[in-house]
Amino acid sequence: MVAKLTDAERAGLSGTIPAWEMVAGQDAIRRAFVFADFSAAFAFMARVALLAEKQDHHPDWRNVYNRVEITLSTHDAGGLSARDVAMAQAIDRLT
């Protein structure tokens, strides 16, 4: 089973994944991305989908025209885990 992040690990997130924020009322992180148009947003989502399949860790996401909002949490852990941090870092490298 995947373990949730410790308080110490959570405290370091702002240095590790500074563009991501904690989600109010959830044990999850979120980031919003804005692109030039729908095609660019969709292409980004396709690249994230390939990462997600490779890591077997799939995001909750929302797309409206040129905006993509991604929320990460590990269902097996019941909240935020190292898998989410690794996925966030991989997503950040795409931008």
Side-chain angles (χ1 to χ4, degrees):
M1 181 167 182
V2 180
K4 289 171 73 169
L5 293 181
T6 65
D7 289 340
E9 290 168 327
R10 289 166 190 273
L13 288 179
S14 62
T16 306
I17 48 173
W20 294 78
E21 63 185 16
M22 294 298 297
V23 179
Q26 295 181 29
D27 193 16
I29 52 175
R30 177 180 298 146
R31 181 171 176 193
F33 300 84
V34 178
F35 298 93
D37 54 27
F38 177 76
S39 293
F42 193 83
F44 170 74
M45 291 176 70
R47 291 190 306 272
V48 172
L50 293 173
L51 281 174
E53 281 296 298
K54 194 180 257 186
Q55 293 188 20
D56 192 28
H57 190 57
H58 304 91
D60 291 329
W61 55 9
R62 182 170 188 266
N63 166 242
V64 176
Y65 182 58
N66 68 335
R67 292 183 52 85
V68 176
E69 185 177 284
I70 300 176
T71 301
L72 299 172
S73 183
T74 303
H75 301 289
D76 291 344
L80 202 55
S81 77
R83 294 185 75 196
D84 302 305
V85 176
M87 185 68 174
Q89 290 172 320
I91 291 168
D92 285 348
R93 286 191 291 274
L94 294 176
T95 60

Coordinates of all heavy atoms in Angstrom, one line a residue:
M1 N 0.8 -1.2 0.0 CA 0.0 0.0 0.0 C 0.9 1.2 0.0 O 1.9 1.3 0.6 CB -0.9 0.0 1.2 CG -1.8 1.2 1.3 SD -3.1 0.9 2.5 CE -4.0 2.4 2.3
V2 N 0.4 2.3 -0.7 CA 1.2 3.5 -0.8 C 0.9 4.3 0.5 O -0.2 4.5 0.9 CB 0.7 4.3 -2.0 CG1 1.4 5.6 -2.2 CG2 0.9 3.4 -3.3
A3 N 2.0 4.9 1.0 CA 1.8 5.7 2.3 C 1.6 7.2 1.9 O 2.1 7.7 0.9 CB 3.1 5.6 3.1
K4 N 0.8 7.8 2.8 CA 0.5 9.3 2.6 C 1.8 10.0 3.0 O 2.6 9.5 3.8 CB -0.6 9.7 3.6 CG -2.0 9.2 3.1 CD -3.1 9.5 4.1 CE -3.5 10.9 4.2 NZ -4.7 11.1 5.0
L5 N 2.0 11.2 2.5 CA 3.1 12.0 2.9 C 3.1 12.4 4.4 O 2.0 12.6 5.0 CB 3.1 13.4 2.1 CG 3.3 13.3 0.6 CD1 3.3 14.7 0.0 CD2 4.6 12.6 0.3
T6 N 4.2 12.5 5.0 CA 4.3 12.9 6.4 C 4.2 14.4 6.4 O 4.3 15.1 5.4 CB 5.7 12.5 7.0 OG1 6.7 13.2 6.3 CG2 5.9 11.0 6.9
D7 N 4.1 14.9 7.6 CA 4.0 16.4 7.8 C 5.3 17.1 7.3 O 5.2 18.1 6.7 CB 3.7 16.7 9.3 CG 2.3 16.4 9.7 OD1 1.4 16.2 8.8 OD2 2.1 16.3 10.9
A8 N 6.4 16.4 7.6 CA 7.7 17.0 7.2 C 7.8 17.0 5.6 O 8.3 18.0 5.1 CB 8.8 16.2 7.8
E9 N 7.3 15.9 5.0 CA 7.3 15.9 3.5 C 6.4 17.0 2.9 O 6.7 17.6 2.0 CB 6.9 14.5 3.0 CG 8.0 13.4 3.3 CD 7.5 12.0 3.1 OE1 6.3 11.8 3.4 OE2 8.3 11.2 2.7
R10 N 5.3 17.2 3.6 CA 4.3 18.2 3.1 C 4.9 19.6 3.2 O 4.7 20.4 2.4 CB 3.0 18.1 3.9 CG 2.2 16.9 3.6 CD 1.1 16.7 4.6 NE 0.4 15.4 4.5 CZ -0.6 15.2 3.6 NH1 -1.1 16.2 2.9 NH2 -1.1 14.0 3.5
A11 N 5.6 19.8 4.3 CA 6.2 21.1 4.6 C 7.2 21.5 3.5 O 7.4 22.7 3.2 CB 6.9 21.1 5.9
G12 N 7.9 20.5 2.8 CA 8.8 20.8 1.8 C 8.3 20.9 0.4 O 9.0 21.1 -0.6
L13 N 7.0 20.7 0.2 CA 6.4 20.7 -1.1 C 6.5 22.1 -1.8 O 6.7 22.1 -3.0 CB 4.9 20.4 -1.0 CG 4.6 18.9 -0.7 CD1 3.1 18.7 -0.7 CD2 5.2 18.0 -1.8
S14 N 6.5 23.2 -1.1 CA 6.6 24.5 -1.8 C 8.0 24.6 -2.5 O 8.1 25.4 -3.4 CB 6.3 25.6 -0.8 OG 7.3 25.6 0.2
G15 N 9.0 24.0 -1.9 CA 10.3 24.0 -2.6 C 10.4 23.0 -3.7 O 11.2 23.2 -4.6
T16 N 9.7 21.9 -3.6 CA 9.8 20.8 -4.6 C 8.9 21.0 -5.8 O 9.4 20.8 -6.9 CB 9.4 19.5 -3.9 OG1 10.2 19.3 -2.7 CG2 9.6 18.3 -4.8
I17 N 7.7 21.5 -5.5 CA 6.7 21.7 -6.6 C 6.0 23.0 -6.3 O 4.8 23.1 -6.0 CB 5.7 20.5 -6.8 CG1 5.1 20.1 -5.4 CG2 6.4 19.3 -7.5 CD1 4.0 19.1 -5.5
P18 N 6.7 24.1 -6.5 CA 6.2 25.5 -6.1 C 5.0 25.9 -6.8 O 4.2 26.7 -6.3 CB 7.4 26.4 -6.3 CG 8.3 25.7 -7.3 CD 8.1 24.2 -7.1
A19 N 4.7 25.5 -8.0 CA 3.6 25.9 -8.8 C 2.3 25.2 -8.4 O 1.2 25.6 -8.8 CB 3.8 25.7 -10.3
W20 N 2.4 24.2 -7.6 CA 1.2 23.4 -7.1 C 0.8 23.9 -5.8 O 1.5 24.4 -5.0 CB 1.6 21.9 -7.1 CG 1.9 21.3 -8.4 CD1 3.1 21.5 -9.1 CD2 1.0 20.6 -9.2 NE1 3.0 20.8 -10.3 CE2 1.7 20.2 -10.4 CE3 -0.3 20.1 -9.1 CZ2 1.2 19.5 -11.4 CZ3 -0.8 19.3 -10.1 CH2 -0.1 19.0 -11.2
E21 N -0.6 23.8 -5.6 CA -1.1 24.3 -4.3 C -2.0 23.2 -3.7 O -2.5 22.3 -4.4 CB -2.0 25.6 -4.5 CG -3.2 25.3 -5.4 CD -3.9 26.6 -5.7 OE1 -3.4 27.7 -5.5 OE2 -5.1 26.5 -6.2
M22 N -2.1 23.2 -2.4 CA -3.0 22.3 -1.7 C -4.4 22.7 -2.0 O -4.7 23.8 -2.2 CB -2.7 22.4 -0.2 CG -1.4 21.9 0.3 SD -1.0 20.2 -0.1 CE -2.3 19.3 0.9
V23 N -5.3 21.7 -2.1 CA -6.7 21.9 -2.4 C -7.4 22.0 -1.1 O -7.3 21.1 -0.2 CB -7.2 20.7 -3.2 CG1 -8.7 20.9 -3.5 CG2 -6.4 20.5 -4.5
A24 N -8.2 23.0 -0.9 CA -9.0 23.2 0.3 C -10.0 22.1 0.4 O -10.7 21.7 -0.5 CB -9.7 24.5 0.3
G25 N -10.0 21.4 1.6 CA -11.0 20.4 1.9 C -10.7 19.0 1.3 O -11.5 18.1 1.4
Q26 N -9.5 18.9 0.7 CA -9.1 17.6 0.1 C -7.6 17.4 0.5 O -6.9 18.4 0.6 CB -9.2 17.6 -1.4 CG -10.6 17.7 -1.9 CD -10.6 17.6 -3.5 OE1 -9.7 17.0 -4.1 NE2 -11.5 18.3 -4.1
D27 N -7.2 16.2 0.5 CA -5.8 15.9 0.7 C -5.2 15.7 -0.7 O -5.0 14.5 -1.2 CB -5.6 14.7 1.6 CG -4.2 14.5 2.0 OD1 -3.4 15.5 1.9 OD2 -3.8 13.4 2.5
A28 N -5.0 16.8 -1.4 CA -4.6 16.8 -2.8 C -3.9 18.1 -3.2 O -4.0 19.0 -2.5 CB -5.9 16.6 -3.7
I29 N -3.2 18.0 -4.3 CA -2.6 19.2 -4.9 C -3.2 19.5 -6.2 O -3.7 18.6 -6.9 CB -1.1 19.0 -5.0 CG1 -0.7 17.8 -5.8 CG2 -0.4 19.1 -3.6 CD1 0.8 17.6 -6.1
R30 N -3.1 20.8 -6.6 CA -3.7 21.2 -7.9 C -2.8 22.3 -8.5 O -2.2 23.1 -7.9 CB -5.1 21.8 -7.6 CG -5.8 22.4 -8.8 CD -7.2 23.0 -8.5 NE -8.0 21.9 -7.9 CZ -8.9 22.1 -7.0 NH1 -9.1 23.3 -6.5 NH2 -9.7 21.1 -6.6
R31 N -2.9 22.3 -9.9 CA -2.2 23.3 -10.6 C -3.1 23.6 -11.9 O -3.7 22.7 -12.5 CB -0.8 22.9 -11.1 CG -0.1 24.0 -11.9 CD 1.3 23.7 -12.2 NE 1.8 24.8 -13.0 CZ 2.9 24.7 -13.6 NH1 3.7 23.7 -13.5 NH2 3.3 25.7 -14.4
A32 N -3.2 24.9 -12.2 CA -3.9 25.3 -13.4 C -2.8 25.7 -14.5 O -1.8 26.4 -14.2 CB -4.8 26.5 -13.1
F33 N -3.1 25.4 -15.7 CA -2.2 25.7 -16.8 C -3.1 26.5 -17.9 O -4.2 26.2 -18.1 CB -1.7 24.4 -17.5 CG -0.9 23.5 -16.6 CD1 -1.5 22.6 -15.8 CD2 0.5 23.6 -16.6 CE1 -0.8 21.8 -14.9 CE2 1.2 22.8 -15.8 CZ 0.6 21.9 -14.9
V34 N -2.5 27.5 -18.5 CA -3.1 28.3 -19.5 C -2.3 28.2 -20.8 O -1.1 28.4 -20.8 CB -3.4 29.7 -19.1 CG1 -4.0 30.5 -20.2 CG2 -4.2 29.8 -17.8
F35 N -2.9 27.9 -21.9 CA -2.2 27.7 -23.2 C -2.8 28.7 -24.2 O -3.8 29.4 -24.0 CB -2.4 26.3 -23.7 CG -1.8 25.3 -22.8 CD1 -2.6 24.7 -21.8 CD2 -0.5 25.0 -22.8 CE1 -2.1 23.8 -20.9 CE2 0.1 24.1 -21.9 CZ -0.7 23.5 -21.0
A36 N -2.2 28.8 -25.4 CA -2.6 29.8 -26.4 C -4.0 29.5 -26.9 O -4.7 30.4 -27.2 CB -1.6 29.8 -27.5
D37 N -4.3 28.2 -27.0 CA -5.6 27.9 -27.6 C -6.0 26.4 -27.2 O -5.2 25.8 -26.5 CB -5.6 28.0 -29.1 CG -4.5 27.3 -29.8 OD1 -4.1 26.2 -29.2 OD2 -4.1 27.7 -30.9
F38 N -7.1 26.0 -27.6 CA -7.6 24.6 -27.3 C -6.6 23.6 -27.8 O -6.4 22.6 -27.1 CB -9.0 24.4 -27.9 CG -9.5 23.0 -27.6 CD1 -10.0 22.6 -26.4 CD2 -9.5 22.1 -28.6 CE1 -10.4 21.3 -26.1 CE2 -10.0 20.8 -28.4 CZ -10.4 20.4 -27.1
S39 N -6.1 23.7 -29.0 CA -5.2 22.7 -29.6 C -4.0 22.5 -28.7 O -3.5 21.4 -28.5 CB -4.8 23.1 -31.0 OG -5.9 23.0 -31.9
A40 N -3.4 23.6 -28.2 CA -2.2 23.5 -27.4 C -2.6 22.9 -26.0 O -1.8 22.1 -25.5 CB -1.6 24.9 -27.1
A41 N -3.7 23.2 -25.5 CA -4.2 22.6 -24.2 C -4.4 21.1 -24.4 O -4.0 20.3 -23.6 CB -5.5 23.3 -23.7
F42 N -5.0 20.7 -25.5 CA -5.3 19.3 -25.8 C -4.0 18.5 -26.0 O -3.9 17.4 -25.5 CB -6.3 19.2 -26.9 CG -6.8 17.8 -27.1 CD1 -7.9 17.4 -26.3 CD2 -6.2 16.9 -27.9 CE1 -8.4 16.1 -26.4 CE2 -6.8 15.6 -28.0 CZ -7.9 15.2 -27.3
A43 N -3.1 19.1 -26.7 CA -1.8 18.5 -26.9 C -1.1 18.2 -25.6 O -0.5 17.2 -25.4 CB -0.9 19.3 -27.9
F44 N -1.1 19.2 -24.7 CA -0.5 19.0 -23.4 C -1.2 17.9 -22.6 O -0.6 17.1 -22.0 CB -0.7 20.4 -22.6 CG -0.3 20.3 -21.1 CD1 1.0 20.1 -20.7 CD2 -1.3 20.3 -20.2 CE1 1.3 20.1 -19.4 CE2 -1.0 20.2 -18.8 CZ 0.3 20.1 -18.4
M45 N -2.5 17.8 -22.7 CA -3.3 16.8 -22.0 C -2.9 15.4 -22.6 O -2.7 14.4 -21.8 CB -4.8 17.0 -22.2 CG -5.3 18.1 -21.4 SD -7.0 18.5 -21.6 CE -7.7 17.1 -20.8
A46 N -2.6 15.3 -23.9 CA -2.2 14.0 -24.5 C -0.8 13.6 -23.9 O -0.6 12.5 -23.6 CB -2.1 14.2 -26.0
R47 N 0.1 14.6 -23.8 CA 1.4 14.3 -23.2 C 1.3 13.9 -21.7 O 2.0 12.9 -21.3 CB 2.3 15.5 -23.3 CG 2.7 15.8 -24.8 CD 3.8 16.8 -24.9 NE 3.6 18.1 -24.3 CZ 3.0 19.1 -24.8 NH1 2.5 19.1 -26.0 NH2 2.8 20.2 -24.1
V48 N 0.4 14.5 -21.0 CA 0.2 14.1 -19.6 C -0.4 12.7 -19.5 O 0.0 11.9 -18.7 CB -0.7 15.1 -18.8 CG1 -1.1 14.6 -17.5 CG2 0.0 16.5 -18.7
A49 N -1.3 12.4 -20.4 CA -1.9 11.1 -20.5 C -0.9 10.0 -20.7 O -1.0 8.9 -20.0 CB -3.0 11.0 -21.6
L50 N 0.1 10.2 -21.5 CA 1.2 9.2 -21.7 C 2.0 9.1 -20.5 O 2.3 7.9 -20.1 CB 2.0 9.7 -22.9 CG 1.4 9.7 -24.3 CD1 2.3 10.3 -25.3 CD2 0.9 8.3 -24.7
L51 N 2.3 10.2 -19.8 CA 3.0 10.1 -18.5 C 2.2 9.3 -17.5 O 2.7 8.4 -16.8 CB 3.2 11.5 -17.9 CG 4.3 12.3 -18.4 CD1 4.3 13.7 -17.8 CD2 5.7 11.6 -18.1
A52 N 0.9 9.6 -17.4 CA 0.0 8.9 -16.4 C 0.0 7.4 -16.7 O 0.0 6.6 -15.7 CB -1.4 9.5 -16.5
E53 N -0.1 7.0 -17.9 CA -0.1 5.6 -18.2 C 1.2 4.9 -17.8 O 1.2 3.8 -17.3 CB -0.4 5.4 -19.7 CG -1.8 5.5 -20.1 CD -2.7 4.4 -19.5 OE1 -2.5 3.2 -19.7 OE2 -3.6 4.8 -18.7
K54 N 2.3 5.6 -18.1 CA 3.6 5.1 -17.8 C 3.8 4.9 -16.3 O 4.4 3.9 -15.8 CB 4.7 6.0 -18.4 CG 6.1 5.5 -18.4 CD 7.0 6.5 -19.0 CE 7.4 6.1 -20.4 NZ 8.4 7.0 -21.0
Q55 N 3.3 5.9 -15.5 CA 3.4 5.8 -14.1 C 2.2 5.1 -13.4 O 2.2 4.9 -12.2 CB 3.5 7.3 -13.5 CG 4.7 8.0 -13.9 CD 4.9 9.3 -13.2 OE1 4.3 9.5 -12.1 NE2 5.8 10.2 -13.7
D56 N 1.2 4.7 -14.2 CA 0.0 4.1 -13.7 C -0.6 4.9 -12.5 O -0.9 4.4 -11.5 CB 0.3 2.6 -13.2 CG -1.0 1.9 -13.0 OD1 -2.0 2.2 -13.6 OD2 -1.0 1.0 -12.1
H57 N -0.6 6.2 -12.8 CA -1.1 7.2 -11.8 C -1.9 8.2 -12.6 O -1.3 9.1 -13.2 CB 0.0 7.7 -11.0 CG -0.4 8.5 -9.8 ND1 -1.2 8.0 -8.8 CD2 -0.2 9.8 -9.4 CE1 -1.5 8.9 -7.9 NE2 -0.8 10.0 -8.3
H58 N -3.2 8.2 -12.5 CA -4.0 9.0 -13.4 C -4.6 10.2 -12.6 O -5.2 10.1 -11.6 CB -5.1 8.2 -14.0 CG -4.5 7.0 -14.7 ND1 -4.3 5.8 -14.1 CD2 -4.0 6.9 -16.0 CE1 -3.7 5.0 -15.0 NE2 -3.5 5.6 -16.1
P59 N -4.5 11.4 -13.2 CA -5.0 12.6 -12.6 C -6.5 12.8 -12.7 O -7.1 12.3 -13.6 CB -4.2 13.7 -13.3 CG -4.0 13.2 -14.7 CD -3.8 11.7 -14.5
D60 N -7.0 13.7 -11.9 CA -8.3 14.2 -12.1 C -8.0 15.5 -12.8 O -7.2 16.3 -12.3 CB -9.0 14.5 -10.7 CG -9.4 13.2 -10.0 OD1 -9.7 12.2 -10.7 OD2 -9.4 13.2 -8.8
W61 N -8.7 15.8 -13.9 CA -8.5 17.0 -14.6 C -9.7 17.6 -15.2 O -10.7 16.9 -15.4 CB -7.3 16.9 -15.6 CG -7.4 15.8 -16.6 CD1 -8.5 15.0 -16.9 CD2 -6.4 15.4 -17.4 NE1 -8.1 14.1 -17.9 CE2 -6.8 14.4 -18.3 CE3 -5.0 15.8 -17.6 CZ2 -6.0 13.7 -19.2 CZ3 -4.3 15.2 -18.6 CH2 -4.8 14.2 -19.4
R62 N -9.6 18.8 -15.6 CA -10.7 19.6 -16.2 C -10.1 20.4 -17.3 O -9.0 21.1 -17.1 CB -11.3 20.4 -15.2 CG -12.5 21.2 -15.6 CD -13.2 21.9 -14.4 NE -14.4 22.5 -14.8 CZ -14.6 23.7 -15.1 NH1 -13.5 24.5 -15.1 NH2 -15.7 24.2 -15.5
N63 N -10.7 20.5 -18.4 CA -10.3 21.3 -19.6 C -11.4 22.2 -20.0 O -12.5 21.7 -20.3 CB -9.8 20.4 -20.7 CG -9.6 21.2 -22.0 OD1 -10.3 20.9 -23.0 ND2 -8.8 22.2 -22.0
V64 N -11.2 23.5 -20.1 CA -12.1 24.4 -20.7 C -11.3 25.3 -21.7 O -10.4 26.0 -21.2 CB -12.9 25.3 -19.7 CG1 -13.8 26.3 -20.4 CG2 -13.7 24.5 -18.7
Y65 N -11.6 25.1 -23.0 CA -10.9 25.8 -24.0 C -9.3 25.8 -23.9 O -8.8 24.7 -24.1 CB -11.4 27.3 -24.2 CG -10.7 28.0 -25.3 CD1 -10.8 27.5 -26.6 CD2 -10.0 29.1 -25.1 CE1 -10.1 28.1 -27.7 CE2 -9.3 29.8 -26.2 CZ -9.4 29.3 -27.5 OH -8.8 29.9 -28.5
N66 N -8.7 26.8 -23.4 CA -7.3 26.9 -23.3 C -6.7 26.6 -21.9 O -5.5 26.8 -21.7 CB -6.7 28.2 -23.9 CG -7.1 29.4 -23.0 OD1 -8.0 29.4 -22.2 ND2 -6.3 30.4 -23.0
R67 N -7.6 26.3 -21.0 CA -7.2 26.0 -19.6 C -7.3 24.5 -19.3 O -8.2 23.9 -19.6 CB -8.1 26.8 -18.6 CG -7.9 28.3 -18.7 CD -8.8 29.0 -17.7 NE -8.6 28.5 -16.4 CZ -7.6 28.9 -15.5 NH1 -6.7 29.8 -15.9 NH2 -7.5 28.4 -14.3
V68 N -6.3 24.1 -18.5 CA -6.3 22.7 -18.0 C -6.0 22.8 -16.5 O -5.0 23.4 -16.1 CB -5.2 21.8 -18.7 CG1 -5.2 20.4 -18.1 CG2 -5.5 21.8 -20.2
E69 N -6.9 22.2 -15.7 CA -6.6 22.1 -14.3 C -6.4 20.7 -13.9 O -7.3 19.8 -14.2 CB -7.9 22.7 -13.5 CG -7.7 22.8 -12.1 CD -8.8 23.5 -11.4 OE1 -9.0 24.7 -11.5 OE2 -9.7 22.7 -10.8
I70 N -5.3 20.4 -13.2 CA -5.0 19.1 -12.8 C -5.0 19.0 -11.3 O -4.4 19.8 -10.6 CB -3.6 18.6 -13.4 CG1 -3.7 18.7 -14.9 CG2 -3.3 17.2 -12.9 CD1 -2.3 18.4 -15.5
T71 N -5.7 17.9 -10.7 CA -5.6 17.6 -9.3 C -5.1 16.2 -9.1 O -5.4 15.3 -9.8 CB -7.1 17.7 -8.7 OG1 -7.6 19.0 -9.0 CG2 -7.1 17.4 -7.2
L72 N -4.1 16.1 -8.2 CA -3.5 14.9 -7.9 C -3.7 14.4 -6.5 O -3.5 15.2 -5.6 CB -1.9 15.0 -8.2 CG -1.5 15.3 -9.6 CD1 0.0 15.6 -9.7 CD2 -1.9 14.2 -10.6
S73 N -4.0 13.2 -6.3 CA -4.2 12.6 -5.0 C -4.1 11.1 -5.3 O -4.5 10.6 -6.3 CB -5.5 12.9 -4.4 OG -5.6 12.4 -3.1
T74 N -3.6 10.3 -4.3 CA -3.5 8.9 -4.5 C -4.6 8.2 -3.8 O -4.7 8.2 -2.5 CB -2.1 8.4 -3.9 OG1 -1.1 9.1 -4.6 CG2 -2.0 6.9 -4.1
H75 N -5.5 7.6 -4.5 CA -6.7 7.0 -3.9 C -6.3 5.8 -3.0 O -6.9 5.6 -2.0 CB -7.7 6.5 -5.1 CG -8.1 7.7 -5.9 ND1 -9.0 8.6 -5.5 CD2 -7.8 8.0 -7.2 CE1 -9.2 9.5 -6.4 NE2 -8.5 9.2 -7.5
D76 N -5.3 5.0 -3.4 CA -4.9 3.9 -2.6 C -4.4 4.3 -1.3 O -4.4 3.5 -0.3 CB -3.8 3.1 -3.4 CG -4.4 2.3 -4.6 OD1 -5.6 2.2 -4.7 OD2 -3.5 1.9 -5.4
A77 N -3.8 5.5 -1.2 CA -3.2 6.0 0.1 C -4.3 6.8 0.9 O -4.0 7.1 2.0 CB -2.0 6.9 -0.2
G78 N -5.4 7.2 0.2 CA -6.4 8.0 0.9 C -5.9 9.5 1.0 O -6.4 10.2 1.9
G79 N -5.1 9.9 0.1 CA -4.6 11.3 0.1 C -3.3 11.4 -0.6 O -2.9 10.6 -1.5
L80 N -2.6 12.5 -0.3 CA -1.4 12.9 -1.0 C -0.2 11.9 -0.7 O 0.0 11.6 0.5 CB -1.0 14.3 -0.6 CG -0.1 15.1 -1.5 CD1 -0.7 15.2 -2.9 CD2 0.0 16.5 -0.9
S81 N 0.5 11.5 -1.7 CA 1.6 10.6 -1.6 C 2.8 11.0 -2.4 O 2.7 11.9 -3.2 CB 1.2 9.1 -1.9 OG 1.2 9.0 -3.3
A82 N 3.9 10.3 -2.3 CA 5.1 10.6 -3.1 C 4.8 10.3 -4.6 O 5.4 11.0 -5.4 CB 6.2 9.7 -2.7
R83 N 3.8 9.5 -4.9 CA 3.4 9.3 -6.3 C 2.9 10.6 -6.9 O 3.1 10.8 -8.1 CB 2.4 8.2 -6.4 CG 2.9 6.8 -6.0 CD 1.9 5.7 -6.3 NE 1.9 5.5 -7.7 CZ 0.9 4.8 -8.3 NH1 -0.1 4.3 -7.6 NH2 0.9 4.6 -9.6
D84 N 2.1 11.3 -6.1 CA 1.6 12.6 -6.6 C 2.7 13.6 -6.9 O 2.7 14.3 -7.8 CB 0.6 13.2 -5.6 CG -0.5 12.2 -5.3 OD1 -1.2 11.8 -6.3 OD2 -0.8 11.8 -4.2
V85 N 3.7 13.6 -5.9 CA 4.8 14.6 -6.1 C 5.6 14.2 -7.4 O 5.9 15.1 -8.2 CB 5.7 14.6 -4.9 CG1 6.9 15.4 -5.1 CG2 4.9 15.0 -3.6
A86 N 5.8 12.9 -7.6 CA 6.6 12.5 -8.8 C 5.8 12.8 -10.0 O 6.4 13.3 -11.0 CB 6.9 11.0 -8.7
M87 N 4.5 12.7 -10.0 CA 3.7 13.0 -11.2 C 3.7 14.5 -11.4 O 3.8 14.9 -12.6 CB 2.2 12.5 -11.0 CG 1.4 12.6 -12.2 SD 1.9 11.6 -13.5 CE 0.6 11.9 -14.7
A88 N 3.6 15.3 -10.4 CA 3.6 16.7 -10.5 C 4.9 17.2 -11.1 O 4.9 18.1 -12.0 CB 3.3 17.4 -9.2
Q89 N 6.0 16.6 -10.6 CA 7.3 17.0 -11.2 C 7.4 16.6 -12.7 O 8.0 17.4 -13.5 CB 8.4 16.3 -10.4 CG 8.6 16.9 -9.0 CD 9.5 16.1 -8.1 OE1 9.5 14.9 -8.2 NE2 10.3 16.8 -7.3
A90 N 6.9 15.5 -13.0 CA 6.9 15.0 -14.4 C 6.1 15.9 -15.3 O 6.5 16.3 -16.4 CB 6.5 13.6 -14.5
I91 N 4.9 16.3 -14.8 CA 4.1 17.3 -15.5 C 4.8 18.6 -15.7 O 4.7 19.2 -16.8 CB 2.7 17.4 -14.8 CG1 1.9 16.1 -14.9 CG2 1.9 18.6 -15.4 CD1 0.7 16.0 -14.0
D92 N 5.4 19.1 -14.6 CA 6.1 20.4 -14.7 C 7.2 20.4 -15.7 O 7.4 21.4 -16.4 CB 6.7 20.7 -13.3 CG 5.7 21.2 -12.3 OD1 4.5 21.5 -12.7 OD2 6.0 21.3 -11.1
R93 N 7.8 19.2 -16.0 CA 8.9 19.1 -17.0 C 8.3 19.2 -18.4 O 9.1 19.5 -19.3 CB 9.7 17.8 -16.8 CG 10.6 17.9 -15.6 CD 11.6 16.7 -15.6 NE 11.0 15.4 -15.4 CZ 10.7 14.9 -14.2 NH1 11.0 15.6 -13.1 NH2 10.1 13.7 -14.1
L94 N 7.0 19.0 -18.5 CA 6.4 19.2 -19.9 C 6.2 20.6 -20.3 O 5.9 20.9 -21.4 CB 5.1 18.4 -19.9 CG 5.1 16.9 -19.8 CD1 3.7 16.4 -19.7 CD2 5.9 16.3 -20.9
T95 N 6.1 21.5 -19.3 CA 5.8 22.9 -19.6 C 7.0 23.7 -19.9 O 8.1 23.4 -19.6 CB 5.0 23.5 -18.4 OG1 5.8 23.5 -17.2 CG2 3.7 22.8 -18.2

